[in-house]
Amino acid sequence: MTIDWRPDREIRRTVLALGVAGLTLIATGAVLDALWLLGIGVWGVIAAMVVELVYRP
């Protein structure tokens, strides 16, 4: 039986939230031709990757 550790679920939710928010901002910035939205979206995706790399062994 596998015990699901609660912090792992919270980190997964955080990574998914940052990734989805980043991708949404990237798509919106591309449609509206707004580079500042693209930049914020890219930093959101980068933050999601950093959190994933730091908290996953």
Side-chain angles (χ1 to χ4, degrees), residues 25-46:
L25 286 171
I26 290 171
T28 304
V31 168
L32 297 177
D33 198 27
L35 287 178
W36 64 275
L37 281 176
L38 280 168
I40 293 171
V42 167
W43 279 109
V45 171
I46 290 170

Side-chain angles (χ1 to χ4, degrees), residues 7-20 44 47-48 51:
D8 278 346
R9 281 193 270 161
E10 295 299 321
I11 294 300
R12 181 170 297 179
R13 285 186 193 141
T14 302
V15 168
L16 287 175
L18 282 170
V20 167
V51 169

Side-chain angles (χ1 to χ4, degrees), residues 1-9 12:
M1 178 151 86
T2 304
I3 298 172
D4 196 16
W5 197 44
R6 184 165 299 282
D8 278 346
R9 281 193 270 161
R12 181 170 297 179

